[in-house]
Amino acid sequence: MNYTINQLQIFLKVTQKKSITKAAEELFMTQPAVSIQLKNFQDQFDIPLTEVIGRQLYVTEFGEEIALIAEKIIQEIANINYKTQAYKGLLTGKLKIFSASTGKYVIPFFLSGFIEQNTAVDLVLDVTNKTMVMESLKNNQTELALVSVVPENVQVEEEIIIANKLFLIGSQPNRSANIPLIYREKGSATRAAMENYFLTHEGSKRKRLELTSNEAVKQAVIAGLGNSIMPVIGIKNELLNKQLYIIESEGLPISTEWRLIWLKGKKLSPVAQAFLDYVRKEKTRILDEQFKWYMKF
């Protein structure tokens, strides 16, 4: 057998995404290039690694076993690189953070300086909804997570980052009684806060739309499809450009706090601990430089 590290990486990504197209997008390769490398890798085995039924790609049982080995090999190669950098006196390793979706407006400002100072650190930032974030933390898929609501039934430690303020937002400054409400998907912390607010203040029987990302909700509100309770931290430009307006409402804003959390008692890796120390040291400066506009709300 004469397979390459590149082929292992491509095969592993295909098994993770169950799609050549999606694997190509993440690897910044063309679909034909991924298909060719996948075929060259498959040609070295007498047993199928994948199969296509209809238009869906499936990984065979044998393929799953090979994928596990490929993942270990790729990790060991990464460890070689980390060890090399460590001998040069550099902080090395992988910093993996799962963030609730609106956290994408917060966490990059805390990461940029840290990554600039520690060029041998690899960053993986996974942005998803709160439910998936907590599952990843409980399953030890990530050391650190960014959330705005403290999870139930999971003991964690935390570092508060910044307030999370949610207002009723519309494309017009005044609220119409007939305009529908736009909700996030189930599992979203914003969705839960919005449902609780309207149940408390106006009852639950309201016409609604449901969208699966904060960005989709934002664009729908701009288009006039409805109003929504949204974190104001994600709509700075739209407020300045008067594409969106804060609609004054009793009981708003809803205020929580963005926080980095990790499992209670967990010994963090040197990279994760170094990032946490950096956040504690630089938080005041970063908030003053990047979020001064936000503090007035």
Side-chain angles (χ1 to χ4, degrees):
M1 290 189 178
N2 192 30
Y3 44 77
T4 66
I5 294 171
N6 186 46
Q7 288 172 349
L8 288 173
Q9 291 172 325
I10 290 170
F11 173 66
L12 181 60
K13 185 61 69 176
V14 169
T15 64
Q16 292 170 340
K17 295 299 176 182
K18 304 294 191 295
S19 165
I20 290 175
T21 301
K22 291 179 180 178
E25 290 174 354
E26 290 217 1
L27 293 167
F28 301 101
M29 296 174 64
T30 64
Q31 185 174 333
V34 170
S35 296
I36 290 170
Q37 291 301 320
L38 184 62
K39 182 181 183 301
N40 291 341
F41 187 62
Q42 171 65 79
D43 287 345
Q44 299 181 73
F45 300 90
D46 295 329
I47 305 170
L49 299 170
T50 62
E51 56 186 356
V52 178
I53 301 175
R55 301 183 66 179
Q56 178 63 47
L57 183 145
Y58 294 90
V59 183
T60 65
E61 183 177 353
F62 178 67
E64 294 284 4
E65 294 291 332
I66 298 300
L68 289 174
I69 297 171
E71 186 173 20
K72 292 177 182 177
I73 293 171
I74 293 167
Q75 183 58 56
E76 287 303 317
I77 292 170
N79 288 340
I80 291 173
N81 293 332
Y82 295 147
K83 288 292 185 183
T84 302
Q85 297 296 333
Y87 269 88
K88 295 179 181 179
L90 300 174
L91 179 67
T92 66
K94 181 180 291 186
L95 176 61
K96 191 170 187 179
I97 300 176
F98 274 65
S99 171
S101 55
T102 311
K104 67 185 177 185
Y105 301 109
V106 177
I107 195 64
F109 295 101
F110 290 85
L111 286 166
S112 58
F114 178 77
I115 295 301
E116 185 177 346
Q117 290 178 14
N118 299 283
T119 56
V121 170
D122 293 330
L123 171 65
V124 177
L125 176 60
D126 197 319
V127 179
T128 183
N129 69 35
K130 186 195 77 171
T131 300
M132 295 300 296
V133 170
M134 290 313 306
E135 284 300 311
S136 300
L137 190 69
K138 288 189 290 185
N139 294 333
N140 209 32
Q141 293 175 279
T142 183
E143 292 185 273
L144 298 172
L146 184 70
V147 296
S148 61
V149 178
V150 179
E152 298 178 359
N153 305 320
V154 182
Q155 290 190 317
V156 298
E157 298 179 63
E158 65 180 21
E159 178 67 25
I160 302 296
I161 301 294
I162 190 173
N164 182 39
K165 302 172 185 178
L166 292 84
F167 291 83
L168 182 64
I169 304 297
S171 60
Q172 300 296 326
N174 300 312
R175 180 179 174 189
S176 168
N178 297 321
I179 194 166
L181 294 172
I182 303 173
Y183 283 76
R184 284 285 305 277
E185 79 285 359
K186 288 187 181 296
S188 161
T190 302
R191 161 72 171 258
M194 188 170 174
E195 285 185 327
N196 182 66
Y197 173 80
F198 281 111
L199 181 62
T200 303
H201 289 79
E202 302 181 23
S204 59
K205 294 181 179 179
R206 299 188 53 80
K207 186 176 180 181
R208 64 177 64 187
L209 305 174
E210 183 176 308
L211 297 173
T212 57
S213 74
N214 191 67
E215 191 63 31
V217 171
K218 182 198 301 184
Q219 295 304 321
V221 175
I222 291 172
L225 290 177
N227 295 337
S228 186
I229 289 181
M230 301 178 64
V232 74
I233 202 165
I235 57 173
K236 175 185 178 181
N237 291 334
E238 290 76 13
L239 289 172
L240 291 175
N241 296 332
K242 300 190 182 304
Q243 292 175 289
L244 294 176
Y245 296 87
I246 293 175
I247 302 172
E248 297 295 331
S249 302
E250 181 184 355
L252 292 178
I254 300 167
S255 188
T256 57
E257 290 174 306
W258 283 109
R259 64 199 75 213
L260 278 172
I261 62 172
W262 58 99
L263 294 177
K264 189 171 184 179
K266 180 177 178 61
K267 182 175 175 58
L268 297 176
S269 68
V271 172
Q273 185 62 57
F275 176 65
L276 188 59
D277 293 342
Y278 173 85
V279 169
R280 288 168 172 162
K281 178 183 177 183
E282 300 293 339
K283 179 168 56 177
T284 300
R285 177 187 62 79
I286 293 170
L287 292 179
D288 184 61
E289 291 178 0
Q290 303 295 338
F291 296 96
K292 187 174 291 186
W293 69 272
Y294 178 69
M295 300 302 184
K296 69 179 182 179
F297 289 99

CSV table of all heavy atoms in Angstrom, one decimal, residues 142-192:
chain,number,residue,atom,x,y,z
A,142,THR,N,-15.0,19.0,23.6
A,142,THR,CA,-14.4,20.3,23.7
A,142,THR,C,-14.1,20.6,25.2
A,142,THR,O,-14.9,20.1,26.0
A,142,THR,CB,-15.3,21.4,23.1
A,142,THR,OG1,-14.6,22.7,23.1
A,142,THR,CG2,-16.6,21.6,23.9
A,143,GLU,N,-13.1,21.4,25.4
A,143,GLU,CA,-12.8,21.8,26.8
A,143,GLU,C,-13.5,23.0,27.2
A,143,GLU,O,-14.0,23.1,28.4
A,143,GLU,CB,-11.3,22.0,26.9
A,143,GLU,CG,-10.4,20.8,26.8
A,143,GLU,CD,-9.0,21.1,27.1
A,143,GLU,OE1,-8.3,21.5,26.1
A,143,GLU,OE2,-8.5,21.0,28.2
A,144,LEU,N,-13.7,23.9,26.3
A,144,LEU,CA,-14.3,25.2,26.6
A,144,LEU,C,-15.5,25.4,25.7
A,144,LEU,O,-15.5,25.0,24.5
A,144,LEU,CB,-13.3,26.4,26.4
A,144,LEU,CG,-12.0,26.4,27.2
A,144,LEU,CD1,-11.1,27.5,26.7
A,144,LEU,CD2,-12.4,26.6,28.7
A,145,ALA,N,-16.5,26.1,26.3
A,145,ALA,CA,-17.7,26.4,25.5
A,145,ALA,C,-18.2,27.8,25.9
A,145,ALA,O,-18.0,28.3,27.0
A,145,ALA,CB,-18.8,25.4,25.8
A,146,LEU,N,-18.8,28.5,24.9
A,146,LEU,CA,-19.3,29.9,25.1
A,146,LEU,C,-20.8,29.8,25.0
A,146,LEU,O,-21.4,29.5,24.0
A,146,LEU,CB,-18.7,30.8,24.1
A,146,LEU,CG,-19.1,32.3,24.3
A,146,LEU,CD1,-18.5,32.9,25.5
A,146,LEU,CD2,-18.8,33.1,23.1
A,147,VAL,N,-21.5,30.1,26.1
A,147,VAL,CA,-22.9,30.1,26.2
A,147,VAL,C,-23.4,31.4,26.9
A,147,VAL,O,-22.7,32.0,27.6
A,147,VAL,CB,-23.5,28.9,26.9
A,147,VAL,CG1,-23.1,27.6,26.2
A,147,VAL,CG2,-22.9,28.8,28.4
A,148,SER,N,-24.7,31.6,26.8
A,148,SER,CA,-25.3,32.8,27.5
A,148,SER,C,-26.2,32.4,28.6
A,148,SER,O,-26.7,33.2,29.3
A,148,SER,CB,-26.1,33.7,26.5
A,148,SER,OG,-27.1,32.9,25.9
A,149,VAL,N,-26.5,31.1,28.7
A,149,VAL,CA,-27.4,30.6,29.8
A,149,VAL,C,-26.6,29.4,30.5
A,149,VAL,O,-26.2,28.5,29.8
A,149,VAL,CB,-28.7,30.1,29.2
A,149,VAL,CG1,-29.6,29.5,30.3
A,149,VAL,CG2,-29.4,31.2,28.5
A,150,VAL,N,-26.6,29.4,31.8
A,150,VAL,CA,-25.9,28.4,32.5
A,150,VAL,C,-26.7,27.1,32.3
A,150,VAL,O,-27.9,27.1,32.6
A,150,VAL,CB,-25.8,28.7,34.0
A,150,VAL,CG1,-25.2,27.6,34.8
A,150,VAL,CG2,-25.0,30.0,34.2
A,151,PRO,N,-26.1,26.0,31.9
A,151,PRO,CA,-26.8,24.8,31.7
A,151,PRO,C,-27.4,24.1,32.9
A,151,PRO,O,-26.8,24.3,34.0
A,151,PRO,CB,-25.8,23.9,31.0
A,151,PRO,CG,-24.5,24.4,31.5
A,151,PRO,CD,-24.7,25.9,31.7
A,152,GLU,N,-28.5,23.4,32.8
A,152,GLU,CA,-29.0,22.7,33.9
A,152,GLU,C,-28.4,21.3,34.0
A,152,GLU,O,-28.1,20.7,33.0
A,152,GLU,CB,-30.6,22.6,33.8
A,152,GLU,CG,-31.3,23.9,33.7
A,152,GLU,CD,-32.8,23.8,33.5
A,152,GLU,OE1,-33.2,22.6,33.4
A,152,GLU,OE2,-33.5,24.8,33.5
A,153,ASN,N,-28.3,20.7,35.2
A,153,ASN,CA,-27.9,19.4,35.4
A,153,ASN,C,-26.5,19.1,34.9
A,153,ASN,O,-26.1,17.9,34.7
A,153,ASN,CB,-28.9,18.4,34.7
A,153,ASN,CG,-30.3,18.6,35.2
A,153,ASN,OD1,-30.6,18.8,36.3
A,153,ASN,ND2,-31.2,18.5,34.2
A,154,VAL,N,-25.7,20.1,34.7
A,154,VAL,CA,-24.3,19.9,34.4
A,154,VAL,C,-23.5,20.9,35.3
A,154,VAL,O,-23.7,22.1,35.3
A,154,VAL,CB,-24.0,20.2,32.9
A,154,VAL,CG1,-22.5,20.0,32.6
A,154,VAL,CG2,-24.8,19.4,32.0
A,155,GLN,N,-22.5,20.3,36.0
A,155,GLN,CA,-21.7,21.2,36.9
A,155,GLN,C,-20.6,21.8,36.1
A,155,GLN,O,-19.8,21.0,35.6
A,155,GLN,CB,-21.2,20.4,38.1
A,155,GLN,CG,-22.3,20.0,39.1
A,155,GLN,CD,-21.7,19.4,40.4
A,155,GLN,OE1,-20.8,18.6,40.3
A,155,GLN,NE2,-22.3,19.8,41.5
A,156,VAL,N,-20.5,23.1,36.1
A,156,VAL,CA,-19.5,23.8,35.3
A,156,VAL,C,-18.8,24.9,36.1
A,156,VAL,O,-19.4,25.3,37.2
A,156,VAL,CB,-20.0,24.4,34.0
A,156,VAL,CG1,-20.6,23.3,33.1
A,156,VAL,CG2,-21.1,25.4,34.3
A,157,GLU,N,-17.7,25.3,35.7
A,157,GLU,CA,-17.0,26.5,36.2
A,157,GLU,C,-17.1,27.5,35.0
A,157,GLU,O,-17.3,27.1,33.9
A,157,GLU,CB,-15.6,26.2,36.6
A,157,GLU,CG,-15.5,25.2,37.7
A,157,GLU,CD,-14.0,24.9,38.1
A,157,GLU,OE1,-13.3,25.9,38.5
A,157,GLU,OE2,-13.6,23.8,38.0
A,158,GLU,N,-17.0,28.8,35.4
A,158,GLU,CA,-17.2,29.8,34.3
A,158,GLU,C,-16.4,31.0,34.5
A,158,GLU,O,-15.8,31.3,35.6
A,158,GLU,CB,-18.7,30.2,34.4
A,158,GLU,CG,-19.1,30.9,35.6
A,158,GLU,CD,-20.6,31.3,35.7
A,158,GLU,OE1,-21.4,30.8,34.9
A,158,GLU,OE2,-20.9,32.3,36.4
A,159,GLU,N,-16.2,31.7,33.4
A,159,GLU,CA,-15.6,33.1,33.3
A,159,GLU,C,-16.6,34.0,32.6
A,159,GLU,O,-16.8,33.8,31.4
A,159,GLU,CB,-14.3,33.0,32.6
A,159,GLU,CG,-13.6,34.3,32.5
A,159,GLU,CD,-13.1,34.9,33.8
A,159,GLU,OE1,-12.9,34.2,34.8
A,159,GLU,OE2,-13.0,36.2,33.9
A,160,ILE,N,-17.1,35.0,33.3
A,160,ILE,CA,-18.1,35.9,32.6
A,160,ILE,C,-17.3,36.8,31.6
A,160,ILE,O,-16.3,37.3,31.9
A,160,ILE,CB,-18.8,36.8,33.7
A,160,ILE,CG1,-19.5,35.9,34.7
A,160,ILE,CG2,-19.7,37.7,33.0
A,160,ILE,CD1,-20.6,35.1,34.2
A,161,ILE,N,-17.9,36.9,30.4
A,161,ILE,CA,-17.3,37.7,29.4
A,161,ILE,C,-18.0,39.1,29.2
A,161,ILE,O,-17.4,40.1,29.4
A,161,ILE,CB,-17.3,37.0,28.0
A,161,ILE,CG1,-16.6,35.6,28.1
A,161,ILE,CG2,-16.7,37.8,26.9
A,161,ILE,CD1,-15.1,35.7,28.4
A,162,ILE,N,-19.3,39.1,28.9
A,162,ILE,CA,-20.0,40.3,28.6
A,162,ILE,C,-21.5,40.0,28.7
A,162,ILE,O,-21.9,38.9,28.5
A,162,ILE,CB,-19.6,40.8,27.2
A,162,ILE,CG1,-20.2,42.2,26.9
A,162,ILE,CG2,-20.1,39.8,26.1
A,162,ILE,CD1,-19.7,42.8,25.6
A,163,ALA,N,-22.3,41.1,29.0
A,163,ALA,CA,-23.7,40.9,29.1
A,163,ALA,C,-24.3,40.6,27.7
A,163,ALA,O,-23.8,41.0,26.7
A,163,ALA,CB,-24.3,42.2,29.6
A,164,ASN,N,-25.4,39.8,27.7
A,164,ASN,CA,-26.1,39.5,26.5
A,164,ASN,C,-27.5,40.1,26.6
A,164,ASN,O,-28.3,39.6,27.5
A,164,ASN,CB,-26.2,38.0,26.3
A,164,ASN,CG,-26.9,37.6,25.0
A,164,ASN,OD1,-26.7,38.3,24.0
A,164,ASN,ND2,-27.7,36.6,25.1
A,165,LYS,N,-27.8,41.2,25.9
A,165,LYS,CA,-29.1,41.9,26.0
A,165,LYS,C,-29.9,41.6,24.8
A,165,LYS,O,-29.5,41.9,23.6
A,165,LYS,CB,-28.8,43.4,26.2
A,165,LYS,CG,-27.9,43.7,27.4
A,165,LYS,CD,-27.5,45.2,27.4
A,165,LYS,CE,-26.6,45.4,28.5
A,165,LYS,NZ,-26.1,46.8,28.5
A,166,LEU,N,-31.2,41.2,25.0
A,166,LEU,CA,-32.1,40.9,24.0
A,166,LEU,C,-33.3,41.9,24.0
A,166,LEU,O,-33.9,42.1,25.0
A,166,LEU,CB,-32.6,39.4,24.1
A,166,LEU,CG,-31.6,38.3,23.9
A,166,LEU,CD1,-30.9,38.0,25.2
A,166,LEU,CD2,-32.4,37.0,23.5
A,167,PHE,N,-33.5,42.4,22.8
A,167,PHE,CA,-34.6,43.4,22.6
A,167,PHE,C,-35.5,42.9,21.5
A,167,PHE,O,-35.2,42.1,20.7
A,167,PHE,CB,-34.0,44.8,22.1
A,167,PHE,CG,-33.2,45.5,23.2
A,167,PHE,CD1,-31.9,45.2,23.4
A,167,PHE,CD2,-33.8,46.5,23.9
A,167,PHE,CE1,-31.1,45.9,24.3
A,167,PHE,CE2,-33.1,47.2,24.9
A,167,PHE,CZ,-31.7,46.9,25.1
A,168,LEU,N,-36.7,43.5,21.5
A,168,LEU,CA,-37.7,43.3,20.4
A,168,LEU,C,-37.2,44.1,19.2
A,168,LEU,O,-37.0,45.3,19.4
A,168,LEU,CB,-39.1,43.6,20.8
A,168,LEU,CG,-40.1,43.3,19.7
A,168,LEU,CD1,-40.2,41.9,19.4
A,168,LEU,CD2,-41.5,43.9,20.1
A,169,ILE,N,-37.0,43.5,18.1
A,169,ILE,CA,-36.4,44.2,16.9
A,169,ILE,C,-37.4,44.1,15.8
A,169,ILE,O,-38.0,43.1,15.5
A,169,ILE,CB,-35.0,43.5,16.5
A,169,ILE,CG1,-34.1,43.5,17.7
A,169,ILE,CG2,-34.4,44.2,15.3
A,169,ILE,CD1,-33.7,44.8,18.2
A,170,GLY,N,-37.5,45.2,15.0
A,170,GLY,CA,-38.3,45.3,13.8
A,170,GLY,C,-37.7,46.1,12.8
A,170,GLY,O,-36.7,46.8,13.0
A,171,SER,N,-38.3,46.1,11.6
A,171,SER,CA,-37.8,46.9,10.5
A,171,SER,C,-38.4,48.3,10.5
A,171,SER,O,-38.0,49.2,9.7
A,171,SER,CB,-38.2,46.2,9.1
A,171,SER,OG,-39.6,46.1,9.0
A,172,GLN,N,-39.4,48.5,11.4
A,172,GLN,CA,-39.9,49.8,11.7
A,172,GLN,C,-39.8,50.1,13.2
A,172,GLN,O,-39.8,49.2,14.0
A,172,GLN,CB,-41.4,49.9,11.2
A,172,GLN,CG,-41.6,49.6,9.8
A,172,GLN,CD,-41.0,50.6,8.9
A,172,GLN,OE1,-40.9,51.8,9.2
A,172,GLN,NE2,-40.5,50.2,7.7
A,173,PRO,N,-39.7,51.4,13.5
A,173,PRO,CA,-39.6,51.7,15.0
A,173,PRO,C,-40.8,51.4,15.8
A,173,PRO,O,-40.6,51.3,17.1
A,173,PRO,CB,-39.2,53.2,14.9
A,173,PRO,CG,-39.8,53.7,13.7
A,173,PRO,CD,-39.7,52.6,12.7
A,174,ASN,N,-41.9,51.3,15.2
A,174,ASN,CA,-43.2,51.0,16.0
A,174,ASN,C,-43.7,49.7,15.7
A,174,ASN,O,-43.6,49.2,14.5
A,174,ASN,CB,-44.2,52.1,15.7
A,174,ASN,CG,-43.7,53.5,16.1
A,174,ASN,OD1,-43.2,53.7,17.2
A,174,ASN,ND2,-43.9,54.4,15.1
A,175,ARG,N,-44.3,49.0,16.6
A,175,ARG,CA,-44.8,47.7,16.5
A,175,ARG,C,-46.2,47.6,16.0
A,175,ARG,O,-47.1,48.3,16.5
A,175,ARG,CB,-44.7,47.0,17.8
A,175,ARG,CG,-45.1,45.5,17.8
A,175,ARG,CD,-45.0,44.9,19.1
A,175,ARG,NE,-45.5,43.5,19.2
A,175,ARG,CZ,-45.7,42.8,20.3
A,175,ARG,NH1,-45.3,43.3,21.4
A,175,ARG,NH2,-46.2,41.6,20.2
A,176,SER,N,-46.5,46.8,15.0
A,176,SER,CA,-47.8,46.6,14.5
A,176,SER,C,-48.4,45.4,15.2
A,176,SER,O,-47.7,44.4,15.4
A,176,SER,CB,-47.8,46.4,13.0
A,176,SER,OG,-49.1,45.9,12.6
A,177,ALA,N,-49.7,45.4,15.6
A,177,ALA,CA,-50.3,44.3,16.3
A,177,ALA,C,-50.4,43.1,15.5
A,177,ALA,O,-50.4,41.9,16.0
A,177,ALA,CB,-51.6,44.7,16.8
A,178,ASN,N,-50.4,43.2,14.2
A,178,ASN,CA,-50.7,42.0,13.3
A,178,ASN,C,-49.4,41.4,12.8
A,178,ASN,O,-49.5,40.3,12.1
A,178,ASN,CB,-51.6,42.5,12.1
A,178,ASN,CG,-52.9,42.9,12.6
A,178,ASN,OD1,-53.5,42.4,13.5
A,178,ASN,ND2,-53.4,44.0,11.9
A,179,ILE,N,-48.3,42.0,13.0
A,179,ILE,CA,-47.0,41.5,12.4
A,179,ILE,C,-46.6,40.2,13.1
A,179,ILE,O,-46.7,40.1,14.3
A,179,ILE,CB,-45.9,42.5,12.4
A,179,ILE,CG1,-44.8,42.1,11.5
A,179,ILE,CG2,-45.4,42.7,13.8
A,179,ILE,CD1,-43.8,43.2,11.2
A,180,PRO,N,-46.3,39.2,12.4
A,180,PRO,CA,-45.9,37.9,13.0
A,180,PRO,C,-44.6,38.0,13.7
A,180,PRO,O,-43.8,38.9,13.5
A,180,PRO,CB,-45.8,36.9,11.8
A,180,PRO,CG,-45.6,37.7,10.7
A,180,PRO,CD,-46.2,39.0,10.9
A,181,LEU,N,-44.3,37.0,14.6
A,181,LEU,CA,-43.0,36.9,15.3
A,181,LEU,C,-42.2,35.8,14.6
A,181,LEU,O,-42.7,34.8,14.1
A,181,LEU,CB,-43.3,36.5,16.7
A,181,LEU,CG,-44.0,37.5,17.6
A,181,LEU,CD1,-44.4,37.0,18.9
A,181,LEU,CD2,-43.2,38.8,17.7
A,182,ILE,N,-40.9,36.1,14.6
A,182,ILE,CA,-39.9,35.2,14.0
A,182,ILE,C,-39.1,34.6,15.1
A,182,ILE,O,-38.5,35.3,15.9
A,182,ILE,CB,-39.0,35.9,13.0
A,182,ILE,CG1,-39.9,36.6,11.9
A,182,ILE,CG2,-38.0,34.9,12.3
A,182,ILE,CD1,-39.1,37.4,10.9
A,183,TYR,N,-39.1,33.2,15.2
A,183,TYR,CA,-38.4,32.5,16.2
A,183,TYR,C,-37.2,31.8,15.7
A,183,TYR,O,-37.1,31.4,14.5
A,183,TYR,CB,-39.3,31.5,16.9
A,183,TYR,CG,-40.3,32.1,17.8
A,183,TYR,CD1,-41.5,32.7,17.4
A,183,TYR,CD2,-40.2,31.9,19.2
A,183,TYR,CE1,-42.4,33.2,18.2
A,183,TYR,CE2,-41.1,32.4,20.1
A,183,TYR,CZ,-42.2,33.1,19.6
A,183,TYR,OH,-43.1,33.6,20.5
A,184,ARG,N,-36.2,31.6,16.5
A,184,ARG,CA,-35.1,30.6,16.3
A,184,ARG,C,-35.6,29.2,16.4
A,184,ARG,O,-36.7,29.0,16.9
A,184,ARG,CB,-33.9,30.9,17.2
A,184,ARG,CG,-33.1,32.1,16.9
A,184,ARG,CD,-32.2,31.9,15.6
A,184,ARG,NE,-31.4,30.7,15.8
A,184,ARG,CZ,-30.2,30.7,16.5
A,184,ARG,NH1,-29.8,31.8,17.1
A,184,ARG,NH2,-29.5,29.6,16.6
A,185,GLU,N,-34.8,28.2,16.0
A,185,GLU,CA,-35.1,26.8,16.1
A,185,GLU,C,-35.1,26.4,17.5
A,185,GLU,O,-34.5,27.0,18.4
A,185,GLU,CB,-34.2,26.0,15.3
A,185,GLU,CG,-32.8,25.7,15.9
A,185,GLU,CD,-31.9,26.9,15.9
A,185,GLU,OE1,-32.2,28.0,15.4
A,185,GLU,OE2,-30.8,26.7,16.4
A,186,LYS,N,-35.8,25.2,17.8
A,186,LYS,CA,-35.8,24.6,19.1
A,186,LYS,C,-34.3,24.3,19.5
A,186,LYS,O,-33.6,23.8,18.7
A,186,LYS,CB,-36.7,23.4,19.2
A,186,LYS,CG,-38.1,23.7,19.1
A,186,LYS,CD,-39.0,22.5,19.4
A,186,LYS,CE,-40.5,22.8,19.3
A,186,LYS,NZ,-40.9,23.7,20.4
A,187,GLY,N,-34.0,24.4,20.8
A,187,GLY,CA,-32.6,24.2,21.2
A,187,GLY,C,-31.8,25.5,21.3
A,187,GLY,O,-30.7,25.5,21.9
A,188,SER,N,-32.3,26.6,20.8
A,188,SER,CA,-31.6,27.9,20.8
A,188,SER,C,-32.0,28.6,22.1
A,188,SER,O,-33.2,28.6,22.5
A,188,SER,CB,-32.1,28.7,19.7
A,188,SER,OG,-31.8,30.1,19.9
A,189,ALA,N,-31.0,29.1,22.8
A,189,ALA,CA,-31.3,29.9,24.0
A,189,ALA,C,-32.1,31.1,23.8
A,189,ALA,O,-33.0,31.5,24.6
A,189,ALA,CB,-30.0,30.3,24.7
A,190,THR,N,-31.9,31.8,22.6
A,190,THR,CA,-32.7,32.9,22.2
A,190,THR,C,-34.2,32.5,22.1
A,190,THR,O,-35.1,33.2,22.5
A,190,THR,CB,-32.2,33.6,21.0
A,190,THR,OG1,-30.8,34.0,21.2
A,190,THR,CG2,-33.0,34.8,20.6
A,191,ARG,N,-34.4,31.4,21.4
A,191,ARG,CA,-35.8,30.8,21.3
A,191,ARG,C,-36.5,30.6,22.6
A,191,ARG,O,-37.6,31.1,22.8
A,191,ARG,CB,-35.7,29.5,20.5
A,191,ARG,CG,-36.9,28.6,20.6
A,191,ARG,CD,-38.1,29.1,19.8
A,191,ARG,NE,-39.2,28.1,19.7
A,191,ARG,CZ,-39.4,27.4,18.7
A,191,ARG,NH1,-38.7,27.5,17.6
A,191,ARG,NH2,-40.4,26.5,18.7
A,192,ALA,N,-35.8,30.0,23.5
A,192,ALA,CA,-36.3,29.8,24.9
A,192,ALA,C,-36.7,31.1,25.6
A,192,ALA,O,-37.7,31.2,26.2
A,192,ALA,CB,-35.4,28.9,25.7
